[in-house]
Amino acid sequence: MRMDRSYLEFEKPIEEIKNQIAQTLEIGDKGQVGIKSTLKELEEKLTKTTKEIFENLTPWQKVQLSRHPDRPYTLDYIKNITDGNFIELHGDRNVKDDKAMVGGFGEIDGKTYMILGQQKGRNTKERKYRNFGMANPEGYRKALRLMKLAEKFNKPVVTLIDTPGAYPGLEAEERGQGEAIARNLYEMMLLKVPVICIIIGEGASGGALGIGIGDKVIMLENTWYSVISPESCSSILWRSWDYKENAAEALKLTGKDMLKNKLIDNIIKEPLGGAHAEPQKMFKKLKLEIKKNIEELEKMSVEERINVRTEKFSNMGN
Amino acid sequence: MSQEAKNPWFKRKLKGIITPSTEKKETPDGFWYKTPTGDVIEKTELKNNFYVTPKEGYHVRIGSKEYFEIIFDDNEFTLIAEDLKPVDKLNFSDKKKYADRIKDTQKKTGLNDAIRAAFGKTSGHSIVVACMDFSFIGGSMGNVMGEKIARAIELAIKNKCPFLLISKSGGARMMEAGISLMQMGKVTAKLTQLSMAKLPYISFLTDPTTGGVTASFAMLGDINIAEPGALIGFAGPRVIKETIGKDLPEGFQTSEFLLSKGFLDFIVDRRKLKSKLKQVISMFQN
């Protein structure tokens, strides 16, 4: 477990109790007696407080959680669910290797999957290296190359979505950011292998959808998925950056709302306190969900799967 | 009453306003049009020149009404799914309620949403055309746009004819949030069916085409064509400028820029649009 955990403003009561527990343990180490009941009390208080906070999260708080600095990122999930049995593949065979999009073959319980997704960085240097998880066209083209590779060798595809958006840069436009995303939507719609897309953090707009066409689209509990970030929405519609909470509310971007509006297929519950509080539990859960969903999808014929996928997207919003 | 109105020169010959609002043009109000280089020309002259200024060749922004007039033989066509109207499913509200925004815009433009689709003939060939109207909330894509394009594609498949989509949009409609995002998937899903039916999809990009429209169906034509000088891109110029902290080069994100980068097949002057379409359709069919 990470020692230097960071806490969001609304997580502060949790931090306080955790500090109290640490202090109590310290006292116990010094040989003083009577900490057992205090510890039990504090643990109970911790669970109760965490529950209270996490059962009443606002949409904006969920957005904040989706960006939590301690939250597992794509490669954390891949390494853990494959138990390290993963071969990262690089490059779009055209321009370069996009570090904001990662992917490769990974084995889960003896079966090979193609797993890919946007990758964020944890510190300033890493964040720059990963371009904050904002892929360029070559990232989307690399993703497509890997998905076509999976199709050729009949391996199911799992995409892990975590991006503040596709990169809005000069070279991205020159190399056709719009075309790259559009091509992926089209090709993913017709992929012969099962495809599941899981939003593990931020699901911002076309940049997310660019690897988001699947037989199952699933959101982790504390993530968001929408057409624009609450901040940008606030700046455009309210002409001020100060309405991000209102925008988060209005956009109906939580898993619950997205499921209600039939825009996603399922939600995966996170451990109490969020994926970052107990990452190992989260990895285990995700692995189970991937196995379960792929198993189900593999029972269908290729034509049936593509038909159901196409029909599902054809009816969205109706 | 103003002085001008009292002047007998400006007296109406006919009583009452006789132009129904449905016939209103997207072109600027009044009798005269001022071109980019400052010339003043008559509106009728502009119309007769396909809304292209004669001297500069500047393509004035027009709507579905004008494009249908240009494309369909004798301006005869049947509208597709015209009864579809936007519904505020998310109960969205920013400074203004989305429901009110819809009503006000419908009243102002005489349109139901930012797109109209129609079936008819161009140079004798059957064709389905869907065309966006920028005057309706920036040509933004919501559920009506996605659904109308989907129905238009279905009709093209049924009638075994080509599909022409004229894009003119700022992108997804924020007020329909996740629903609008998924319209990119919806239309793409339908395009896979058009493709299996081996029917041509001509994507015609006009000023401006950005955001989710560019990042989905506008870039997926069997052939992608554009009007001269149109702004076409994924991110808007302002966002890119803010991101990179530099001014953008001259001509960045124009049709000509996209052609040179390999994302368009050719650029077509609006005055030659109909004859070019005839040639293209013939090539596919003969």
Side-chain angles (χ1 to χ4, degrees):
Chain A
M1 204 177 189
R2 213 168 287 117
M3 295 306 287
D4 54 343
R5 252 206 64 179
S6 20
Y7 291 87
L8 299 170
E9 200 50 46
F10 64 86
E11 286 181 305
K12 292 284 184 210
I14 297 170
E15 182 181 20
E16 236 166 70
I17 304 169
K18 282 206 168 164
N19 285 342
Q20 283 172 13
I21 292 173
Q23 277 165 11
T24 313
L25 284 169
E26 217 172 285
I27 293 164
D29 282 347
K30 284 176 188 159
Q32 278 144 329
V33 284
I35 62 156
K36 223 175 168 183
S37 63
T38 319
L39 262 185
K40 203 182 157 221
E41 234 172 76
L42 283 170
E43 293 284 357
E44 276 167 13
K45 195 175 158 196
L46 179 67
T47 310
K48 193 174 157 250
T49 309
T50 312
K51 259 190 191 158
E52 268 170 17
I53 294 171
F54 277 79
E55 275 167 9
N56 299 297
L57 291 170
T58 64
W60 174 244
Q61 286 173 331
K62 288 207 172 188
V63 172
Q64 287 176 290
L65 280 173
S66 77
R67 302 167 178 165
H68 198 293
D70 296 336
R71 209 174 157 81
Y73 294 150
T74 296
L75 282 173
D76 300 319
Y77 281 105
I78 295 180
K79 278 173 189 156
N80 280 281
I81 61 179
T82 63
D83 215 3
N85 198 357
F86 171 68
I87 306 170
E88 189 176 345
L89 303 172
H90 295 273
D92 71 338
R93 300 294 186 266
N94 191 10
V95 173
K96 59 160 84 156
D97 183 48
D98 192 332
K99 306 296 182 198
M101 185 75 79
V102 297
F105 284 125
E107 206 176 278
I108 305 174
D109 295 342
K111 185 181 169 71
T112 306
Y113 294 74
M114 174 58 75
I115 316 172
L116 55 98
Q118 292 98 349
Q119 178 64 32
K120 290 182 176 175
R122 262 192 216 288
N123 52 46
T124 312
K125 203 178 141 198
E126 260 185 43
R127 276 195 272 274
K128 211 178 149 211
Y129 179 70
R130 298 295 182 185
N131 200 28
F132 302 87
M134 294 186 281
N136 273 284
E138 46 275 23
Y140 292 98
R141 291 179 182 133
K142 164 169 148 185
L144 182 57
R145 177 176 84 83
L146 298 187
M147 290 188 275
K148 292 302 255 183
L149 183 66
E151 183 180 54
K152 181 174 171 184
F153 294 97
N154 200 26
K155 308 296 177 206
V157 172
V158 178
T159 73
L160 302 176
I161 297 168
D162 188 10
T163 182
Y167 189 60
L170 195 107
E171 290 172 331
E173 293 291 324
E174 279 183 352
R175 296 199 283 268
Q177 187 71 287
E179 196 276 344
I181 292 171
R183 187 67 45 204
N184 279 17
L185 306 188
Y186 189 92
E187 295 294 338
M188 288 183 85
M189 202 66 79
L190 297 175
L191 272 184
K192 294 190 178 82
V193 290
V195 188
I196 58 176
C197 311
I198 307 168
I199 291 100
I200 58 164
E202 296 191 85
S205 200
L209 193 67
I211 54 164
I213 304 288
D215 300 303
K216 295 280 173 197
V217 180
I218 301 165
M219 286 173 76
L220 297 195
E221 192 182 1
N222 298 313
T223 63
W224 67 275
Y225 193 11
S226 195
V227 74
I228 192 167
S229 74
E231 288 94 331
S232 302
C233 181
S234 163
S235 100
I236 296 170
L237 291 181
W238 279 267
R239 304 202 181 278
S240 145
W241 294 98
D242 302 334
Y243 293 86
K244 49 188 192 287
E245 282 98 338
N246 305 55
E249 195 88 40
L251 286 167
K252 306 281 190 291
L253 44 63
T254 65
K256 222 172 145 186
D257 280 317
M258 289 292 281
L259 186 65
K260 194 180 121 200
N261 290 314
K262 298 194 184 102
L263 302 171
I264 59 160
D265 300 290
N266 206 354
I267 299 169
I268 301 176
K269 270 191 85 78
E270 294 185 17
L272 184 61
H276 59 289
E278 294 189 75
Q280 289 306 324
K281 269 194 188 168
M282 191 69 249
F283 299 143
K284 226 174 147 182
K285 222 168 186 180
L286 195 84
K287 181 174 151 178
L288 279 175
E289 287 288 335
I290 290 172
K291 282 177 68 181
K292 194 185 83 186
N293 279 288
I294 293 290
E295 232 167 76
E296 234 172 77
L297 290 167
E298 282 183 336
K299 286 180 192 153
M300 298 164 81
S301 72
V302 174
E303 293 72 31
E304 199 182 351
R305 235 176 3 238
I306 294 174
N307 277 345
V308 172
R309 193 188 302 155
T310 310
E311 271 307 299
K312 179 179 81 177
F313 280 96
S314 295
N315 287 316
M316 282 192 182
N318 293 4
Chain B
M1 213 184 239
S2 66
Q3 282 302 312
E4 283 90 340
K6 280 182 192 164
N7 191 320
W9 274 23
F10 292 91
K11 263 194 182 157
R12 279 183 199 282
K13 285 189 181 130
L14 295 165
K15 278 195 177 140
I17 295 163
I18 57 160
T19 317
S21 59
T22 48
E23 270 182 35
K24 275 190 185 160
K25 301 283 187 301
E26 241 192 359
T27 43
D29 293 323
F31 187 70
W32 303 102
Y33 180 77
K34 196 174 170 195
T35 71
T37 48
D39 286 353
V40 174
I41 55 170
E42 264 185 46
K43 276 281 187 60
T44 43
E45 189 189 347
L46 187 65
K47 189 187 169 193
N48 292 338
N49 204 38
F50 301 88
Y51 306 94
V52 177
T53 64
K55 209 168 93 187
E56 309 91 335
Y58 173 74
H59 285 54
V60 176
R61 229 177 244 179
I62 54 175
S64 60
K65 183 183 183 292
E66 289 79 16
Y67 278 110
F68 287 173
E69 229 169 72
I70 293 169
I71 291 165
F72 287 115
D73 297 344
D74 306 319
N75 200 21
E76 273 176 26
F77 53 86
T78 317
L79 287 173
I80 302 164
E82 191 46 31
D83 54 328
L84 288 176
K85 284 176 186 168
V87 178
D88 176 23
K89 283 194 184 135
L90 305 180
N91 199 12
F92 193 100
S93 182
D94 46 82
K95 279 173 145 176
K96 190 172 177 176
K97 277 187 183 164
Y98 176 42
D100 293 341
R101 207 183 281 268
I102 295 170
K103 261 185 255 155
D104 294 352
T105 313
Q106 283 170 338
K107 213 170 140 191
K108 200 178 79 194
T109 59
L111 297 162
N112 284 339
D113 203 318
I115 192 164
R116 293 199 307 154
F119 172 65
K121 282 190 189 288
T122 183
S123 310
H125 296 284
S126 292
I127 191 168
V128 169
V129 184
C131 179
M132 299 176 193
D133 280 290
F134 196 75
S135 60
F136 198 101
I137 320 185
S140 56
M141 164 182 58
N143 191 43
V144 169
M145 184 178 287
E147 187 59 23
K148 222 183 247 189
I149 299 175
R151 303 250 189 117
I153 293 172
E154 276 169 15
L155 195 76
I157 294 172
K158 200 180 142 207
N159 290 310
K160 297 188 176 64
C161 69
F163 176 57
L164 169 70
L165 178 59
I166 305 172
S167 291
K168 189 184 279 293
S169 168
R173 186 175 294 169
M174 264 175 284
M175 298 75 122
E176 293 189 27
I179 295 174
S180 72
L181 179 65
M182 296 308 162
Q183 299 312 302
M184 294 165 67
K186 175 190 280 186
V187 175
T188 305
K190 282 287 161 195
L191 284 176
T192 64
Q193 294 171 352
L194 186 74
S195 184
M196 307 247 216
K198 304 269 180 231
L199 294 164
Y201 165 36
I202 303 160
S203 176
F204 185 39
L205 295 86
T206 71
D207 185 62
T209 301
T210 58
V213 170
T214 303
S216 59
F217 44 86
M219 276 292 156
L220 291 173
D222 291 309
I223 59 169
N224 295 335
I225 60 182
E227 279 187 351
L231 169 76
I232 303 166
F234 171 65
R238 192 178 53 86
V239 175
I240 301 167
K241 212 173 132 182
E242 277 169 18
T243 307
I244 63 169
K246 274 188 280 194
D247 281 333
L248 302 174
E250 182 90 16
F252 185 63
Q253 292 185 311
T254 57
S255 310
E256 293 73 14
F257 174 84
L258 266 89
L259 180 71
S260 80
K261 295 293 170 191
F263 294 101
L264 295 176
D265 290 288
F266 55 85
I267 292 170
V268 59
D269 189 300
R270 198 185 285 154
R271 289 166 286 192
K272 294 191 179 124
L273 176 61
K274 191 167 179 177
S275 60
K276 199 75 192 170
L277 270 178
K278 182 185 173 190
Q279 193 192 6
V280 167
I281 296 168
S282 302
M283 288 285 180
F284 276 112
Q285 287 180 348
N286 295 344

